[in-house]
C-alpha cells in the first residue's frame, strides 16, 4: 500500500514518497495517477453521466488546470491555500458543491493570523508521521464496510439521526431537509456552537486538556467500562440484557421529564432541572472553587473509608433483597412535594426536604449546653459537640421498628412531640439563632410518617453504617456535606431534579441493575422478599468470558477509585477535577449544550430510531478491535501537539462551525449533503470504489 505523503512540508527538487511497507518510492506521476483515480471514483459514485464526466475530465488533462497543479505526493502546501482550493476544484467537478462553503472558510484567519487552510494542510501533512495517512484511513473505512455487521454504515445512519434528531426512517422517507430550522432541531448543529469556546479555552491553557483526556482514554477504567458495555449488549437474558435494551429509551424519557415545568417551585428554575442542577453544581463560590469541588471533599472522606464502603454495600444489598430500596426514591419525592406539616406544597412554601437539610445546616455548629426535660421522669441532656452531629448520632442509635413511637434517649422513650419540644428548648439554651432552626424542627416529624417508612429505615441504617463503632464515625462528614448543599444553594435545584426524576423509569432501572455493581460475577438471581415469583434462570452478573485477564467489571470499589484519581494532584499540583472544571463550566453554561441535550431526548423517544440500537454497534466495533488498541491510538493522537494544535486553531474559528452548519432552502449545505450521501447509497458505492482503487495500487 502506498503512502501519499512523505514529509509535512513541501520540499524542493525531485519529490519522492516512501512506501511504508516496502520502502520503495512513488514519484510524482504515480501520485498524480492516484489523484486521478480518486477523482474518477468520486465522480462515478456521485452518479455523473458519461458525456459530462468525459468533458470535464479531459479538460483537466491540460497544463495549468486544478488537477494538473495539485500534487499530493509532497503533501498540501502550507504557504498559501491555493493548492487546497485546486484540490477541491479538481475533485469537485460540480458534485461536491455543497462543501464549497467549508473550503471558503479556510481563508479565514486563525489566532496566528494565517488562513485556516494552512492549519488543515499541516494536519493532512502530519498524519502519515502518526501512522494514519490518507490511504490508511481509507483502508480502515473500507475494512469497516467489509465487516458483516456493517458498523460504518450503521454509524453513518446514526449520524443522519443526530443531524436532524429524527429517526433514520423518517429522514429517508422525507429526504434530507435543507431548512436551517430543521438543523437547529438536531443534535449536531447546537453542539457545533461549543467548538469555539472550548477550543479557545484549550488553546489558552496550553493544550493541557489533551494529555489529561489521553490518560483517561487509555486508563484501566475505560477498558473495564467498554468490556462491560460489550458484555451487557451481547447478553440476551438477565439484568444486563434488561438494562442494555431499555436504557437508551428510558434516558430519553428522563430527558423529557426534566423539562416538566408543572412541578417547579424554585423561583430560578429554567424549565430544565438537569440543566439547573449541573449549572449550580459547577458554579464558582466566593473562594474561587466550585460547589462540586467543595462538596466532594467530605463525600470523599465517606467513600474512601473501607469500613463504611463495605457497610454501604451490605446495606444496599439487604435493602434490594427486601424490596424496600425500590421505594426510597418515590418516598424522597414525598418529602420534596410536601411542606413540614405534610400538606401539599404551595409555591411560596419550603418543602419538608429543604427544611430538614436547612435544620442540619443551621445546627451545624459547636455548642456547650444542657437541658432538663420534664416528662415521666427528668432527663438531663448534655451537649458539648456539634448539635447536628449529636442529633444524627441520636437517630443512629434508634431501632427502625420502634422509632415511630418515640426515641430512646438517656434510657427513656421520649415521644416525638416531647423530643421536638426538647429541641426547641435546646435552641434557646444553647444560644443559637433559633428563629429558622425552630421553624424547621417540625420537619423531623415527617420522617416518621408511614408513607416514608422505607426511606426512614434506610436513613437510620445508613447512619449506623457511618457510625458503626466508637473508632469510626463519619456522621460529621455527612453533616458537612449537607451544609455545603444548603449554604451554597444546591438544595433547591436538587429538589427540582428529584421532583422530575425520582419516580421515573430510568431511576427504577438503575436501582434494578444495582446487583451487577455490587456482585458483578454473581450467576444467581437476587429476589426481593416481596416478589411473588423469582426466575432462577435469570442471572445477575457477567458471564465468565466477558473480560480478558487484563480487565475486570466495574464495581463499587472501582468507582470509588475513580473518584480518588480525580482528586489526586498531578505534577502541576492540580487535581484532574480542578483541571477539567473550566471546560465543564463552559459546557454547562452554554445554552447550546442544553438545546442539543433536549433534541437528543426527542430522538431517543422515537421508537424506530437507530440510536436505540447503538449498543449493538458498539459490539460490532469491538469485534473488530477486541484488544481495544484503538484506545491506545487515540491517546497517542491526543498527546500529539503537532496534530491537535492546528485542529484547535481551526475549530476555534466560528467561521468553520458556521460553514459546516450552513444550509438554506435554495442551497444544500454540508450536513444535508452528507445525509444524502448516506441515504442514497453513495457513501457505500464510494467506499467500494476506493477499495478497488487501493487494490489496484497494491498491484502497481
Amino acid at each position: 500500500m502506498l503512502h501519499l505523503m512523505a514529509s509535512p512540508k513541501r520540499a524542493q527538487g525531485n519529490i519522492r514518497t516512501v512506501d511504508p511497507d516496502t520502502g520503495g518510492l512513488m514519484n510524482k506521476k504515480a501520485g498524480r495517477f492516484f489523484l486521478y483515480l480518486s477523482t474518477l471514483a468520486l465522480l462515478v459514485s456521485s452518479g455523473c453521466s458519461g458525456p459530462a464526466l468525459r468533458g470535464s475530465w479531459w479538460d483537466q488533462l491540460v497544463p495549468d488546470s486544478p488537477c494538473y497543479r495539485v500534487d499530493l505526493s509532497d503533501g498540501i502546501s502550507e504557504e498559501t491555500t491555493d493548492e487546497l482550493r485546486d484540490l477541491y476544484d479538481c475533485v469537485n467537478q460540480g458534485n461536491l458543491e455543497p462543501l464549497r462553503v467549508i473550503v471558503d472558510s479556510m481563508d479565514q484567519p486563525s489566532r496566528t493570523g494565517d488562513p485556516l487552510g494552512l492549519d488543515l494542510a499541516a494536519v493532512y501533512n502530519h498524519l502519515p508521521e502518526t501512522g494514519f495517512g490518507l490511504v490508511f484511513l481509507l483502508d480502515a473505512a473500507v475494512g469497516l464496510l467489509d465487516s458483516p455487521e456493517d458498523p460504518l454504515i450503521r454509524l453513518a445512519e446514526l449520524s443522519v439521526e443526530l443531524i436532524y434528531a429524527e429517526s433514520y426512517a423518517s429522514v429517508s422517507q422525507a429526504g434530507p431537509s435543507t431548512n436551517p430550522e430543521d438543523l437547529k432541531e438536531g443534535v449536531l448543529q447546537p453542539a457545533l456552537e461549543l467548538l469555539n469556546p472550548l477550543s479557545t479555552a484549550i488553546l489558552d491553557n496550553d493544550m493541557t486538556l489533551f494529555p489529561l483526556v489521553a490518560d483517561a482514554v487509555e486508563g484501566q477504567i475505560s477498558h473495564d467500562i467498554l468490556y462491560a458495555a460489550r458484555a451487557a449488549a451481547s447478553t440476551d437474558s438477565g439484568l444486563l440484557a434488561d438494562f442494555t435494551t431499555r436504557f437508551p429509551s428510558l434516558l430519553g424519557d428522563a430527558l423529557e421529564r426534566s423539562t416538566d415545568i408543572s412541578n417547579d417551585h424554585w423561583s430560578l428554575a429554567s424549565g430544565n432541572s438537569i440543566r439547573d442542577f449541573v449549572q449550580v453544581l459547577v458554579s464558582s463560590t466566593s473562594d474561587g472553587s466550585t460547589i462540586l469541588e467543595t462538596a466532594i471533599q467530605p463525600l470523599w472522606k465517606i467513600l474512601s473509608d473501607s469500613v463504611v464502603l463495605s457497610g454501604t454495600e451490605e446495606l444496599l444489598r439487604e435493602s434490594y433483597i427486601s424490596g424496600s430500596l425500590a421505594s426510597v426514591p418515590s418516598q424522597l419525592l414525598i418529602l420534596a412535594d410536601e411542606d413540614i406539616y405534610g400538606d401539599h406544597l404551595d409555591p411560596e412554601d419550603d418543602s419538608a426536604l429543604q427544611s430538614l437539610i436547612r435544620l442540619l445546616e443551621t445546627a451545624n455548629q459547636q455548642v456547650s449546653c444542657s437541658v432538663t426535660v420534664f416528662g415521666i421522669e427528668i432527663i438531663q441532656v448534655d451537649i458539648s459537640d456539634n448539635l447536628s452531629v449529636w442529633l444524627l448520632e441520636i437517630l443512629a442509635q434508634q431501632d427502625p421498628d420502634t422509632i415511630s413511637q418515640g426515641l430512646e434517649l438517656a434510657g427513656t422513650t421520649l415521644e416525638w412531640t416531647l423530643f421536638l419540644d426538647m429541641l426547641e428548648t435546646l435552641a434557646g439554651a444553647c444560644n443559637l439563632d433559633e428563629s429558622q432552626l425552630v421553624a424547621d424542627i417540625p420537619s423531623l416529624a415527617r420522617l416518621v410518617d408511614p408513607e416514608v417508612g422505607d426511606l426512614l429505615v434506610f436513613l437510620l441504617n445508613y447512619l449506623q453504617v457511618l457510625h458503626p463503632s466508637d473508632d469510626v464515625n463519619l456522621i460529621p462528614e455527612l453533616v458537612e456535606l449537607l451544609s455545603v448543599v444548603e449554604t451554597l444553594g444546591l438544595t433547591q435545584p436538587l429538589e427540582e431534579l428529584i421532583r422530575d426524576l425520582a419516580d421515573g423509569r430510568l431511576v427504577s432501572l438503575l436501582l434494578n441493575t444495582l446487583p451487577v455493581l455490587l456482585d458483578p460475577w454473581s450467576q444467581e438471581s437476587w429476589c426481593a422478599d416481596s416478589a411473588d415469583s423469582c426466575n432462577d434462570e435469570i442471572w445477575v452478573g457477567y458471564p465468565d468470558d466477558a473480560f480478558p485477564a487484563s480487565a475486570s467489571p466495574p464495581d463499587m470499589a472501582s468507582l470509588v477509585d475513580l473518584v480518588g484519581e480525580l482528586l489526586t494532584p498531578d505534577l502541576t499540583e492540580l487535581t484532574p477535577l480542578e483541571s477539567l472544571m473550566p471546560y465543564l463550566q463552559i459546557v454547562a453554561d452554554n445554552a447550546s449544550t442544553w438545546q442539543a441535550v433536549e433534541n437528543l431526548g426527542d430522538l431517543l423517544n422515537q421508537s424506530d430510531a437507530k440510536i436505540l440500537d447503538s449498543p449493538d454497534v458498539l459490539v460490532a466495533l469491538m469485534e473488530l478491535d477486541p484488544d481495544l488498541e484503538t484506545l491506545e491510538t487515540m491517546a497517542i493522537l491526543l498527546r500529539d501537539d503537532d496534530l491537535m494544535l492546528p485542529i484547535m486553531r481551526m475549530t476555534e474559528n466560528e467561521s468553520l462551525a458556521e460553514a459546516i452548519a450552513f444550509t438554506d432552502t435554495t442551497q444544500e449545505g454540508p450536513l444535508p449533503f452528507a445525509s444524502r450521501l448516506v441515504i442514497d447509497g453513495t457513501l457505500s458505492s464510494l467506499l467500494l470504489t476506493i477499495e478497488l482503487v487501493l487494490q489496484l495500487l497494491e498491484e502497481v
Side-chain angles (χ1 to χ4, degrees):
M1 186 180 296
L2 299 175
H3 252 309
L4 295 188
M5 305 169 300
S7 70
K9 299 291 183 181
R10 179 173 294 277
Q12 301 295 323
N14 186 23
I15 301 169
R16 301 179 297 175
T17 301
V18 179
D19 184 326
D21 296 325
T22 66
L25 300 175
M26 182 177 74
N27 59 26
K28 282 187 173 183
K29 182 177 180 181
R32 187 168 288 116
F33 174 68
F34 177 84
L35 177 60
Y36 286 153
L37 284 178
S38 300
T39 304
L40 180 62
L42 285 168
L43 293 171
V44 171
S45 62
S46 298
C48 296
S49 62
L53 171 61
R54 178 172 181 174
S56 58
W57 179 254
W58 289 114
D59 289 343
Q60 299 299 320
L61 299 183
V62 295
D64 202 32
S65 62
C67 286
Y68 187 88
R69 290 192 297 266
V70 172
D71 182 5
L72 294 184
S73 65
D74 57 345
I76 300 176
S77 172
E78 296 181 35
E79 297 178 358
T80 70
T81 59
D82 292 344
E83 187 170 38
L84 181 64
R85 284 190 168 277
D86 282 339
L87 174 61
Y88 169 72
D89 289 337
C90 174
V91 175
N92 179 13
Q93 303 295 311
N95 300 294
L96 303 177
E97 198 61 29
L99 302 183
R100 182 174 297 278
V101 63
I102 296 179
V103 177
D104 290 342
S105 73
M106 291 295 101
D107 286 324
Q108 295 296 317
S110 70
R111 61 166 50 199
T112 65
D114 294 326
L116 298 180
L118 303 191
D119 283 322
L120 178 59
V123 171
Y124 179 89
N125 294 340
H126 181 66
L127 278 174
E129 295 184 2
T130 69
F132 298 93
L134 178 61
V135 174
F136 177 90
L137 296 176
L138 292 175
D139 194 34
V142 170
L144 289 174
L145 188 66
D146 287 342
S147 171
E149 299 298 327
D150 219 3
L152 182 61
I153 297 303
R154 295 174 71 177
L155 285 173
E157 293 172 347
L158 177 58
S159 299
V160 173
E161 292 191 336
L162 293 176
I163 289 173
Y164 292 101
E166 294 286 345
S167 70
Y168 182 77
S170 298
V171 179
S172 298
Q173 183 176 6
S177 171
T178 61
N179 189 331
E181 296 302 317
D182 291 335
L183 293 187
K184 292 179 181 179
E185 296 298 320
V187 179
L188 189 55
Q189 195 265 6
L192 285 171
E193 297 182 16
L194 291 170
L195 287 178
N196 166 255
L198 281 176
S199 300
T200 298
I202 292 170
L203 290 168
D204 289 346
N205 285 283
D206 299 323
M207 305 285 288
T208 56
L209 174 65
F210 290 122
L212 184 65
V213 175
D215 290 342
V217 166
E218 65 180 358
Q220 185 60 51
I221 189 64
S222 296
H223 288 73
D224 292 346
I225 289 174
L226 284 175
Y227 282 121
R230 181 186 64 178
S234 303
T235 302
D236 56 6
S237 65
L239 295 180
L240 285 172
D242 184 56
F243 178 83
T244 305
T245 302
R246 299 173 60 201
F247 178 76
S249 62
L250 295 191
L251 175 61
D253 177 69
L255 293 177
E256 182 179 4
R257 291 172 65 94
S258 69
T259 60
D260 180 12
I261 62 174
S262 65
N263 56 10
D264 288 353
H265 288 276
W266 186 33
S267 60
L268 300 179
S270 69
N272 186 319
S273 57
I274 297 178
R275 173 181 183 170
D276 294 339
F277 179 77
V278 171
Q279 286 183 335
V280 174
L281 189 65
V282 301
S283 61
S284 297
T285 62
S286 57
D287 65 358
S289 63
T290 64
I291 294 178
L292 174 59
E293 291 170 292
T294 304
I296 206 170
Q297 298 303 323
L299 178 61
W300 171 242
K301 293 178 183 178
I302 295 173
L303 293 175
S304 59
D305 188 283
S306 59
V307 174
V308 171
L309 178 60
S310 177
T312 301
E313 291 178 327
E314 185 60 29
L315 172 60
L316 291 172
R317 182 178 290 105
E318 292 177 353
S319 301
Y320 184 96
I321 293 175
S322 70
S324 61
L325 185 62
S327 304
V328 168
S330 59
Q331 293 183 8
L332 190 63
L333 175 61
I334 292 174
L335 295 182
D337 262 346
E338 294 181 352
D339 64 16
I340 59 175
Y341 302 108
D343 297 327
H344 177 74
L345 189 64
D346 292 327
E348 67 276 5
D349 294 334
D350 293 334
S351 71
L353 178 61
Q354 181 179 4
S355 297
L356 280 168
I357 296 175
R358 187 170 56 212
L359 170 65
L360 293 173
E361 188 280 322
T362 306
N364 181 24
Q365 50 186 299
Q366 298 296 319
V367 295
S368 180
C369 56
S370 62
V371 62
T372 300
V373 179
F374 294 92
I376 299 176
E377 61 181 336
I378 297 177
I379 302 174
Q380 183 71 29
V381 179
D382 295 308
I383 300 177
S384 57
D385 201 349
N386 184 292
L387 183 57
S388 288
V389 173
W390 173 84
L391 174 60
L392 292 183
E393 287 177 346
I394 292 295
L395 293 176
Q397 299 168 12
Q398 305 306 308
D399 183 348
D401 294 331
T402 61
I403 190 174
S404 61
Q405 303 170 16
L407 290 89
E408 291 292 330
L409 188 63
T412 300
T413 300
L414 196 64
E415 293 183 358
W416 269 94
T417 53
L418 291 177
F419 179 69
L420 299 182
D421 290 341
M422 184 196 74
L423 288 181
E424 293 186 18
T425 305
L426 274 174
C430 298
N431 296 318
L432 299 176
D433 179 13
E434 54 182 282
S435 57
Q436 187 61 64
L437 187 147
V438 171
D440 288 332
I441 284 176
S443 63
L444 285 169
R446 301 283 67 76
L447 291 177
V448 293
D449 286 346
E451 58 186 355
V452 295
D454 289 337
L455 174 62
L456 175 62
V457 171
F458 185 84
L459 291 176
L460 293 180
N461 287 330
Y462 186 62
L463 289 175
Q464 293 172 7
V465 168
L466 294 177
H467 190 11
S469 66
D470 293 338
D471 296 330
V472 179
N473 185 4
L474 289 171
I475 287 179
E477 280 68 30
L478 176 62
V479 170
E480 182 183 352
L481 175 60
L482 294 174
S483 294
V484 169
V485 169
E486 174 59 25
T487 57
L488 297 184
L490 193 58
T491 305
Q492 289 179 300
L494 176 60
E495 283 189 307
E496 296 295 344
L497 196 65
I498 291 172
R499 294 188 188 104
D500 283 343
L501 302 183
D503 61 345
R505 292 179 293 164
L506 179 62
V507 171
S508 177
L509 176 68
L510 294 175
L511 287 179
N512 190 52
T513 317
L514 188 61
V516 179
L517 195 63
L518 296 175
D519 195 2
W521 289 116
S522 172
Q523 297 297 300
E524 299 178 357
S525 293
W526 286 26
C527 296
D529 291 345
S530 59
D532 295 331
S533 62
C534 180
N535 185 352
D536 293 330
E537 297 179 356
I538 300 180
W539 48 266
V540 171
Y542 300 94
D544 294 336
D545 59 351
F547 293 83
S550 60
S552 58
D555 56 11
M556 290 282 287
S558 61
L559 294 183
V560 170
D561 290 341
L562 178 60
V563 176
E565 291 179 9
L566 287 173
L567 299 178
T568 302
D570 56 20
L571 296 178
T572 66
E573 299 185 354
L574 293 176
T575 68
L577 182 61
E578 290 172 326
S579 299
L580 288 171
M581 198 53 63
Y583 310 103
L584 295 178
Q585 289 177 320
I586 289 173
V587 173
D589 293 339
N590 197 306
S592 298
T593 299
W594 304 106
Q595 185 61 59
V597 170
E598 183 177 339
N599 295 348
L600 176 62
D602 293 340
L603 175 61
L604 289 168
N605 280 312
Q606 299 176 39
S607 60
D608 61 339
K610 291 182 177 293
I611 194 173
L612 300 179
D613 299 324
S614 52
D616 295 333
V617 179
L618 174 63
V619 172
L621 290 172
M622 291 186 66
E623 288 297 324
L624 299 175
D625 183 19
D627 296 327
L628 297 182
E629 295 177 356
T630 301
L631 296 182
E632 182 180 353
T633 299
M634 291 173 59
I636 293 173
L637 296 179
L638 286 168
R639 293 191 181 100
D640 189 343
D641 281 353
D642 289 335
L643 177 68
M644 301 308 299
L645 184 60
I647 290 177
M648 288 299 99
R649 287 199 295 256
M650 285 192 294
T651 54
E652 180 187 29
N653 193 299
E654 293 179 344
S655 299
L656 178 59
E658 292 172 355
I660 296 174
F662 170 80
T663 192
D664 62 39
T665 54
T666 61
Q667 182 179 352
E668 186 180 47
L671 295 181
F673 171 70
S675 300
R676 179 166 58 82
L677 293 183
V678 177
I679 291 172
D680 65 13
T682 298
L683 177 62
S684 298
S685 300
L686 171 61
L687 291 175
L688 289 173
T689 306
I690 290 176
E691 180 179 22
L692 175 61
V693 172
L694 293 176
Q695 291 173 352
L696 291 174
L697 283 175
E698 289 178 348
E699 298 173 0
V700 173

